[in-house]
Amino acid sequence: MVDRRGLLIAAPALLLTACGTAAEPSPTTTPAPTPDGTADAEELTALLAFEQRAVAFYAAAAGRAEGARGATLARLLQHERAHAAALRGALRARGARPPEPPAAGHEGGDPLAGALALEREAVAAYERALPRLHDPDLRVLAASILATEAEHLAVVRSELGRVPAPAAFVTGSARA
Amino acid sequence: MTALTRRDALVAVAAAPLAALYASAPAAAAGRAPTLEGDAAVITELLSREHLGAAAYAHAGRRGGSRVRALARRFGSHEAEHEQALATAREALGVPPLETPSRAQALDALAAALGRRPFPRSAGDAVLLRGLLAVEEWLLGGWVDAAGRLRDPNLLRTAAQVLASHAQHVAVLRTAVGHDPLPRALDSGSGG
Protein backbone atom coordinates (compact mmCIF):
# COMPACT_ATOMS: atom_id res chain seq x y z
CA MET A 1 0.00 0.00 0.00
CA VAL A 2 1.07 3.55 -0.60
CA ASP A 3 1.21 6.15 2.14
CA ARG A 4 1.82 9.87 1.93
CA ARG A 5 5.10 9.69 3.84
CA GLY A 6 6.43 6.98 1.55
CA LEU A 7 5.70 9.07 -1.50
CA LEU A 8 7.44 12.12 -0.09
CA ILE A 9 10.50 10.17 0.99
CA ALA A 10 10.74 8.67 -2.47
CA ALA A 11 10.81 12.01 -4.31
CA PRO A 12 14.63 12.29 -4.57
CA ALA A 13 14.70 8.95 -6.35
CA LEU A 14 12.95 10.55 -9.32
CA LEU A 15 16.11 12.33 -10.39
CA LEU A 16 18.12 9.13 -10.31
CA THR A 17 15.49 7.24 -12.25
CA ALA A 18 15.45 9.77 -15.05
CA CYS A 19 19.07 8.89 -15.80
CA GLY A 20 18.52 5.15 -15.97
CA THR A 21 17.48 4.43 -19.56
CA ALA A 22 20.12 2.23 -21.18
CA ALA A 23 20.60 2.19 -24.93
CA GLU A 24 21.03 -1.13 -26.74
CA PRO A 25 24.78 -1.63 -27.14
CA SER A 26 26.31 -2.31 -30.53
CA PRO A 27 27.77 -5.81 -30.99
CA THR A 28 31.30 -4.48 -30.93
CA THR A 29 31.17 -2.28 -27.86
CA THR A 30 30.69 -2.87 -24.17
CA PRO A 31 28.83 -0.08 -22.41
CA ALA A 32 30.75 1.65 -19.64
CA PRO A 33 29.20 0.77 -16.28
CA THR A 34 27.25 3.58 -14.65
CA PRO A 35 26.06 3.71 -11.03
CA ASP A 36 22.51 2.98 -12.16
CA GLY A 37 23.67 0.36 -14.66
CA THR A 38 25.75 -1.38 -12.00
CA ALA A 39 22.79 -1.44 -9.62
CA ASP A 40 20.57 -2.85 -12.38
CA ALA A 41 23.18 -5.52 -13.17
CA GLU A 42 23.24 -6.54 -9.53
CA GLU A 43 19.45 -6.88 -9.46
CA LEU A 44 19.48 -8.84 -12.72
CA THR A 45 22.20 -11.15 -11.39
CA ALA A 46 20.15 -11.92 -8.28
CA LEU A 47 17.02 -12.58 -10.36
CA LEU A 48 18.93 -14.78 -12.80
CA ALA A 49 20.44 -16.79 -9.94
CA PHE A 50 16.91 -17.39 -8.68
CA GLU A 51 15.62 -18.38 -12.14
CA GLN A 52 18.52 -20.79 -12.60
CA ARG A 53 17.64 -22.42 -9.30
CA ALA A 54 14.02 -22.66 -10.45
CA VAL A 55 15.11 -24.29 -13.71
CA ALA A 56 17.16 -26.87 -11.79
CA PHE A 57 14.21 -27.57 -9.49
CA TYR A 58 11.64 -27.98 -12.26
CA ALA A 59 13.99 -30.04 -14.45
CA ALA A 60 14.19 -32.59 -11.65
CA ALA A 61 10.58 -32.25 -10.45
CA ALA A 62 9.01 -32.58 -13.91
CA GLY A 63 10.69 -35.94 -14.34
CA ARG A 64 9.17 -37.24 -11.10
CA ALA A 65 5.54 -36.30 -11.79
CA GLU A 66 3.06 -37.80 -14.24
CA GLY A 67 -0.16 -36.81 -15.95
CA ALA A 68 -1.57 -33.32 -15.53
CA ARG A 69 0.86 -32.45 -12.73
CA GLY A 70 3.80 -33.52 -14.86
CA ALA A 71 2.52 -31.39 -17.73
CA THR A 72 2.13 -28.38 -15.44
CA LEU A 73 5.63 -28.77 -14.07
CA ALA A 74 7.04 -29.15 -17.58
CA ARG A 75 5.30 -25.91 -18.61
CA LEU A 76 6.70 -24.10 -15.58
CA LEU A 77 10.18 -25.40 -16.49
CA GLN A 78 9.76 -24.06 -20.02
CA HIS A 79 8.78 -20.62 -18.69
CA GLU A 80 11.59 -20.43 -16.14
CA ARG A 81 14.08 -21.28 -18.87
CA ALA A 82 12.68 -18.43 -20.95
CA HIS A 83 12.93 -16.05 -17.99
CA ALA A 84 16.54 -17.08 -17.39
CA ALA A 85 17.36 -16.55 -21.07
CA ALA A 86 15.78 -13.08 -21.07
CA LEU A 87 17.66 -12.05 -17.93
CA ARG A 88 20.92 -13.52 -19.25
CA GLY A 89 20.50 -11.48 -22.43
CA ALA A 90 19.81 -8.31 -20.46
CA LEU A 91 22.88 -8.89 -18.32
CA ARG A 92 25.14 -9.52 -21.31
CA ALA A 93 23.79 -6.40 -23.01
CA ARG A 94 25.09 -4.49 -20.00
CA GLY A 95 28.52 -6.09 -20.21
CA ALA A 96 27.99 -8.16 -17.06
CA ARG A 97 28.82 -11.83 -16.68
CA PRO A 98 25.87 -14.10 -15.86
CA PRO A 99 26.24 -16.36 -12.79
CA GLU A 100 26.93 -20.06 -13.22
CA PRO A 101 23.79 -22.22 -12.94
CA PRO A 102 23.56 -24.48 -9.87
CA ALA A 103 24.08 -28.20 -10.23
CA ALA A 104 21.58 -29.38 -7.62
CA GLY A 105 17.93 -29.86 -8.47
CA HIS A 106 14.85 -31.11 -6.65
CA GLU A 107 15.79 -33.19 -3.63
CA GLY A 108 12.54 -35.01 -2.88
CA GLY A 109 9.16 -34.35 -1.33
CA ASP A 110 5.98 -33.35 -3.12
CA PRO A 111 7.00 -31.53 -6.32
CA LEU A 112 3.89 -29.31 -6.25
CA ALA A 113 4.51 -28.29 -2.64
CA GLY A 114 8.04 -27.38 -3.68
CA ALA A 115 6.64 -25.47 -6.64
CA LEU A 116 4.31 -23.52 -4.36
CA ALA A 117 7.23 -22.39 -2.18
CA LEU A 118 9.33 -21.58 -5.22
CA GLU A 119 6.64 -19.53 -6.96
CA ARG A 120 5.95 -17.55 -3.80
CA GLU A 121 9.66 -16.82 -3.64
CA ALA A 122 9.60 -15.78 -7.29
CA VAL A 123 6.76 -13.30 -6.79
CA ALA A 124 8.50 -11.86 -3.72
CA ALA A 125 11.81 -11.55 -5.61
CA TYR A 126 10.30 -9.60 -8.51
CA GLU A 127 8.09 -7.50 -6.23
CA ARG A 128 11.26 -6.49 -4.37
CA ALA A 129 13.33 -5.94 -7.52
CA LEU A 130 10.87 -3.89 -9.55
CA PRO A 131 11.26 -0.62 -7.59
CA ARG A 132 15.06 -1.04 -7.56
CA LEU A 133 15.53 -1.29 -11.32
CA HIS A 134 16.45 2.05 -12.89
CA ASP A 135 16.05 1.21 -16.57
CA PRO A 136 12.34 1.47 -17.56
CA ASP A 137 12.74 -1.27 -20.17
CA LEU A 138 14.09 -3.61 -17.51
CA ARG A 139 11.14 -2.78 -15.27
CA VAL A 140 8.73 -3.74 -18.05
CA LEU A 141 10.65 -7.00 -18.56
CA ALA A 142 10.55 -7.70 -14.81
CA ALA A 143 6.84 -6.84 -14.71
CA SER A 144 6.02 -9.27 -17.53
CA ILE A 145 8.00 -12.02 -15.77
CA LEU A 146 6.31 -11.18 -12.46
CA ALA A 147 2.92 -11.50 -14.16
CA THR A 148 3.84 -14.99 -15.33
CA GLU A 149 5.18 -16.01 -11.92
CA ALA A 150 1.92 -14.84 -10.32
CA GLU A 151 -0.01 -16.92 -12.88
CA HIS A 152 2.19 -19.91 -11.98
CA LEU A 153 1.37 -19.36 -8.33
CA ALA A 154 -2.36 -19.28 -9.07
CA VAL A 155 -2.17 -22.50 -11.12
CA VAL A 156 -0.09 -24.33 -8.52
CA ARG A 157 -2.41 -23.19 -5.73
CA SER A 158 -5.36 -24.44 -7.75
CA GLU A 159 -3.73 -27.83 -8.36
CA LEU A 160 -3.17 -28.12 -4.62
CA GLY A 161 -6.87 -27.45 -3.98
CA ARG A 162 -6.35 -23.93 -2.66
CA VAL A 163 -8.01 -20.65 -3.65
CA PRO A 164 -5.95 -19.61 -6.70
CA ALA A 165 -6.21 -15.81 -6.33
CA PRO A 166 -6.90 -15.01 -2.68
CA ALA A 167 -5.54 -11.47 -2.34
CA ALA A 168 -5.84 -8.04 -3.94
CA PHE A 169 -2.15 -7.34 -3.34
CA VAL A 170 0.07 -10.30 -4.21
CA THR A 171 3.37 -10.24 -2.36
CA GLY A 172 4.49 -13.86 -2.34
CA SER A 173 3.75 -14.24 1.36
CA ALA A 174 2.01 -17.37 2.65
CA ARG A 175 -1.42 -15.70 2.38
CA ALA A 176 -0.89 -13.72 -0.81
CA MET B 1 -8.89 22.53 -6.50
CA THR B 2 -11.78 21.63 -8.79
CA ALA B 3 -12.94 18.03 -8.91
CA LEU B 4 -13.17 16.51 -12.37
CA THR B 5 -16.74 15.85 -13.44
CA ARG B 6 -18.04 12.41 -14.26
CA ARG B 7 -18.52 13.37 -17.89
CA ASP B 8 -14.96 14.69 -18.11
CA ALA B 9 -13.63 11.42 -16.76
CA LEU B 10 -15.72 9.37 -19.15
CA VAL B 11 -14.83 11.41 -22.17
CA ALA B 12 -11.20 11.08 -21.24
CA VAL B 13 -11.38 7.33 -20.72
CA ALA B 14 -13.37 6.66 -23.87
CA ALA B 15 -11.06 8.80 -25.93
CA ALA B 16 -8.17 6.33 -25.94
CA PRO B 17 -5.21 6.40 -25.90
CA LEU B 18 -5.26 6.41 -22.15
CA ALA B 19 -1.68 7.67 -22.10
CA ALA B 20 -3.04 11.12 -22.98
CA LEU B 21 -5.95 10.85 -20.61
CA TYR B 22 -6.20 14.24 -18.99
CA ALA B 23 -4.04 16.10 -21.43
CA SER B 24 -6.76 15.51 -24.04
CA ALA B 25 -9.82 15.87 -21.82
CA PRO B 26 -12.10 18.82 -22.53
CA ALA B 27 -11.88 19.97 -18.92
CA ALA B 28 -8.11 20.15 -19.13
CA ALA B 29 -8.28 22.01 -22.43
CA ALA B 30 -10.65 24.51 -20.86
CA GLY B 31 -8.29 25.03 -17.95
CA ARG B 32 -10.75 23.60 -15.41
CA ALA B 33 -8.60 20.60 -14.59
CA PRO B 34 -4.84 20.29 -14.23
CA THR B 35 -2.80 18.68 -16.98
CA LEU B 36 -1.20 15.82 -15.15
CA GLU B 37 2.34 14.65 -15.70
CA GLY B 38 4.63 11.97 -14.39
CA ASP B 39 3.40 9.59 -11.71
CA ALA B 40 0.17 11.56 -11.21
CA ALA B 41 -0.77 11.01 -14.86
CA VAL B 42 0.13 7.32 -14.73
CA ILE B 43 -1.86 6.55 -11.60
CA THR B 44 -4.81 8.52 -12.94
CA GLU B 45 -4.83 6.29 -16.03
CA LEU B 46 -4.57 3.23 -13.80
CA LEU B 47 -7.42 4.41 -11.56
CA SER B 48 -9.58 5.00 -14.64
CA ARG B 49 -8.87 1.44 -15.74
CA GLU B 50 -9.65 0.07 -12.29
CA HIS B 51 -12.97 1.96 -12.25
CA LEU B 52 -13.88 0.22 -15.50
CA GLY B 53 -12.71 -3.14 -14.16
CA ALA B 54 -14.87 -2.72 -11.08
CA ALA B 55 -17.85 -1.84 -13.28
CA ALA B 56 -17.26 -4.98 -15.36
CA TYR B 57 -17.37 -7.17 -12.26
CA ALA B 58 -20.46 -5.34 -10.97
CA HIS B 59 -22.16 -6.05 -14.31
CA ALA B 60 -21.15 -9.72 -14.30
CA GLY B 61 -22.22 -10.02 -10.68
CA ARG B 62 -25.75 -8.92 -11.60
CA ARG B 63 -26.11 -10.84 -14.85
CA GLY B 64 -24.24 -14.08 -14.23
CA GLY B 65 -25.17 -17.42 -12.78
CA SER B 66 -24.05 -18.48 -9.31
CA ARG B 67 -20.51 -19.41 -10.40
CA VAL B 68 -19.96 -16.12 -12.20
CA ARG B 69 -21.53 -14.15 -9.36
CA ALA B 70 -19.19 -15.75 -6.83
CA LEU B 71 -16.14 -15.02 -8.97
CA ALA B 72 -17.30 -11.46 -9.68
CA ARG B 73 -17.86 -10.81 -5.97
CA ARG B 74 -14.36 -12.05 -5.07
CA PHE B 75 -12.43 -10.34 -7.86
CA GLY B 76 -14.65 -7.25 -7.69
CA SER B 77 -13.59 -6.79 -4.07
CA HIS B 78 -9.96 -6.89 -5.23
CA GLU B 79 -10.73 -4.14 -7.77
CA ALA B 80 -12.22 -2.03 -4.99
CA GLU B 81 -9.00 -2.40 -2.99
CA HIS B 82 -6.93 -1.40 -6.02
CA GLU B 83 -9.15 1.65 -6.56
CA GLN B 84 -8.74 2.66 -2.93
CA ALA B 85 -4.94 2.35 -3.08
CA LEU B 86 -4.77 4.46 -6.23
CA ALA B 87 -7.17 7.08 -4.86
CA THR B 88 -4.97 7.35 -1.76
CA ALA B 89 -1.87 7.73 -3.91
CA ARG B 90 -3.50 10.45 -6.00
CA GLU B 91 -4.59 12.29 -2.88
CA ALA B 92 -1.03 12.13 -1.56
CA LEU B 93 0.15 13.75 -4.79
CA GLY B 94 -2.42 16.53 -4.40
CA VAL B 95 -4.46 15.54 -7.45
CA PRO B 96 -8.21 16.37 -7.44
CA PRO B 97 -10.53 13.40 -6.91
CA LEU B 98 -11.61 11.38 -9.94
CA GLU B 99 -15.32 10.62 -9.90
CA THR B 100 -16.45 7.05 -10.43
CA PRO B 101 -18.45 6.60 -13.65
CA SER B 102 -21.85 4.92 -13.63
CA ARG B 103 -21.85 1.27 -14.67
CA ALA B 104 -23.51 1.99 -18.02
CA GLN B 105 -21.06 4.76 -18.82
CA ALA B 106 -18.15 2.58 -17.74
CA LEU B 107 -19.27 -0.25 -20.01
CA ASP B 108 -19.41 2.20 -22.93
CA ALA B 109 -15.91 3.36 -22.10
CA LEU B 110 -14.72 -0.26 -21.87
CA ALA B 111 -16.16 -0.98 -25.30
CA ALA B 112 -14.19 1.98 -26.67
CA ALA B 113 -10.99 0.87 -24.97
CA LEU B 114 -11.28 -2.79 -26.05
CA GLY B 115 -12.62 -2.07 -29.53
CA ARG B 116 -15.70 -4.18 -28.88
CA ARG B 117 -18.46 -4.60 -26.32
CA PRO B 118 -17.17 -7.08 -23.70
CA PHE B 119 -20.70 -7.90 -22.55
CA PRO B 120 -23.27 -8.10 -25.37
CA ARG B 121 -26.96 -8.08 -24.47
CA SER B 122 -28.41 -11.40 -23.31
CA ALA B 123 -24.94 -12.71 -22.57
CA GLY B 124 -24.71 -16.10 -20.88
CA ASP B 125 -22.07 -17.10 -18.36
CA ALA B 126 -19.55 -18.17 -21.01
CA VAL B 127 -19.77 -14.78 -22.72
CA LEU B 128 -19.56 -12.93 -19.42
CA LEU B 129 -16.41 -14.87 -18.49
CA ARG B 130 -14.81 -14.18 -21.87
CA GLY B 131 -15.65 -10.50 -21.42
CA LEU B 132 -14.09 -10.46 -17.96
CA LEU B 133 -10.98 -12.15 -19.35
CA ALA B 134 -10.63 -9.44 -22.02
CA VAL B 135 -11.03 -6.76 -19.34
CA GLU B 136 -8.45 -8.39 -17.06
CA GLU B 137 -5.90 -8.76 -19.86
CA TRP B 138 -6.41 -5.08 -20.63
CA LEU B 139 -5.95 -4.18 -16.96
CA LEU B 140 -2.79 -6.30 -16.79
CA GLY B 141 -1.45 -4.59 -19.91
CA GLY B 142 -1.97 -1.21 -18.29
CA TRP B 143 -0.06 -2.17 -15.17
CA VAL B 144 2.86 -3.78 -17.01
CA ASP B 145 3.17 -0.64 -19.14
CA ALA B 146 2.97 1.51 -16.01
CA ALA B 147 5.93 -0.37 -14.50
CA GLY B 148 8.11 1.30 -17.12
CA ARG B 149 6.66 4.76 -16.56
CA LEU B 150 6.19 5.09 -12.80
CA ARG B 151 9.17 6.47 -10.92
CA ASP B 152 8.28 6.51 -7.26
CA PRO B 153 9.61 3.30 -5.64
CA ASN B 154 6.58 2.97 -3.36
CA LEU B 155 4.20 3.25 -6.29
CA LEU B 156 6.30 0.71 -8.19
CA ARG B 157 6.04 -1.74 -5.32
CA THR B 158 2.27 -1.28 -5.22
CA ALA B 159 2.19 -1.70 -9.00
CA ALA B 160 4.06 -5.00 -8.64
CA GLN B 161 1.52 -6.29 -6.13
CA VAL B 162 -1.51 -5.17 -8.13
CA LEU B 163 -0.28 -6.45 -11.49
CA ALA B 164 0.43 -9.80 -9.86
CA SER B 165 -3.17 -9.82 -8.63
CA HIS B 166 -4.47 -9.10 -12.14
CA ALA B 167 -2.22 -11.83 -13.54
CA GLN B 168 -3.80 -14.30 -11.13
CA HIS B 169 -7.27 -13.16 -12.19
CA VAL B 170 -6.22 -13.70 -15.80
CA ALA B 171 -5.03 -17.24 -15.06
CA VAL B 172 -8.28 -18.10 -13.28
CA LEU B 173 -10.44 -16.64 -16.05
CA ARG B 174 -8.45 -18.38 -18.79
CA THR B 175 -9.09 -21.66 -17.00
CA ALA B 176 -12.78 -20.79 -16.57
CA VAL B 177 -13.25 -20.23 -20.32
CA GLY B 178 -11.29 -23.36 -21.24
CA HIS B 179 -8.10 -21.63 -22.35
CA ASP B 180 -4.54 -22.54 -21.42
CA PRO B 181 -3.89 -20.58 -18.19
CA LEU B 182 -0.15 -20.31 -18.92
CA PRO B 183 0.20 -19.58 -22.64
CA ARG B 184 3.38 -17.50 -22.53
CA ALA B 185 6.53 -17.02 -20.45
CA LEU B 186 6.38 -13.23 -20.60
CA ASP B 187 2.86 -11.95 -20.08
CA SER B 188 2.31 -8.29 -20.87
CA GLY B 189 -1.47 -8.48 -21.06
CA SER B 190 -3.10 -6.46 -23.82
CA GLY B 191 -3.63 -2.83 -24.69
CA GLY B 192 -0.84 -1.47 -22.51
Side-chain angles (χ1 to χ4, degrees):
Chain A
M1 296 290 290
V2 182
D3 61 35
R4 188 183 305 253
R5 182 174 171 278
L7 287 167
L8 294 173
I9 289 171
L14 303 185
L15 292 173
L16 291 175
T17 315
C19 305
T21 306
E24 188 70 25
S26 75
T28 55
T29 61
T30 298
T34 63
D36 290 350
T38 302
D40 280 356
E42 287 172 0
E43 291 296 331
L44 289 172
T45 299
L47 292 172
L48 177 54
F50 171 80
E51 293 287 357
Q52 288 175 332
R53 187 156 59 84
V55 167
F57 170 85
Y58 283 121
R64 297 176 57 242
E66 297 177 344
R69 285 191 170 195
T72 297
L73 293 167
R75 178 67 64 86
L76 300 184
L77 169 61
Q78 178 192 349
H79 284 184
E80 306 302 357
R81 280 180 171 152
H83 299 166
L87 294 169
R88 202 177 296 116
L91 259 178
R92 287 187 174 136
R94 282 155 183 79
R97 187 176 169 186
E100 293 295 320
H106 182 54
E107 294 176 355
D110 178 1
L112 269 186
L116 177 65
L118 197 66
E119 296 298 345
R120 281 178 178 154
E121 197 179 335
V123 168
Y126 283 94
E127 187 246 15
R128 175 191 147 283
L130 196 64
R132 297 178 181 218
L133 290 167
H134 293 86
D135 183 337
D137 291 338
L138 282 183
R139 291 203 299 273
V140 171
L141 171 64
S144 63
I145 296 176
L146 169 58
T148 310
E149 303 290 10
E151 290 167 3
H152 291 179
L153 184 53
V155 167
V156 170
R157 289 182 63 93
S158 184
E159 294 222 6
L160 287 167
R162 302 187 185 196
V163 175
F169 299 91
V170 178
T171 61
S173 70
R175 183 185 171 274
Chain B
M1 287 184 286
T2 307
L4 301 176
T5 66
R6 176 168 303 186
R7 181 181 175 282
D8 291 337
L10 284 165
V11 167
V13 168
L18 289 168
L21 195 61
Y22 282 92
S24 64
R32 288 186 287 117
T35 299
L36 300 178
E37 296 178 341
D39 284 356
V42 179
I43 61 173
T44 297
E45 292 175 30
L46 292 169
L47 180 55
S48 297
R49 287 190 186 229
E50 292 290 342
H51 281 334
L52 303 192
Y57 281 110
H59 178 80
R62 286 172 59 99
R63 296 287 180 87
S66 59
R67 177 168 161 246
V68 171
R69 285 201 307 274
L71 184 145
R73 192 164 50 245
R74 187 151 41 88
F75 289 178
S77 74
H78 292 174
E79 303 305 317
E81 290 189 57
H82 301 164
E83 287 178 295
Q84 185 57 53
L86 288 164
T88 301
R90 288 180 87 253
E91 185 185 352
L93 291 171
V95 182
L98 186 66
E99 286 194 27
T100 307
S102 73
R103 187 151 43 90
Q105 291 166 324
L107 293 179
D108 286 344
L110 262 180
L114 298 176
R116 66 178 176 84
R117 289 209 159 272
F119 307 112
R121 287 185 189 280
S122 306
D125 278 5
V127 173
L128 287 171
L129 289 169
R130 283 199 293 273
L132 290 173
L133 174 57
V135 171
E136 281 288 358
E137 289 187 327
W138 176 73
L139 289 167
L140 178 59
W143 282 96
V144 170
D145 178 67
R149 296 193 291 137
L150 287 169
R151 293 182 172 184
D152 179 280
N154 291 290
L155 288 176
L156 280 165
R157 173 152 283 184
T158 300
Q161 296 171 4
V162 176
L163 83 84
S165 165
H166 284 301
Q168 294 195 331
H169 294 176
V170 165
V172 170
L173 286 163
R174 282 177 182 149
T175 302
V177 302
H179 293 178
D180 179 353
L182 304 171
R184 59 188 77 95
L186 302 171
D187 200 343
S188 301
S190 67

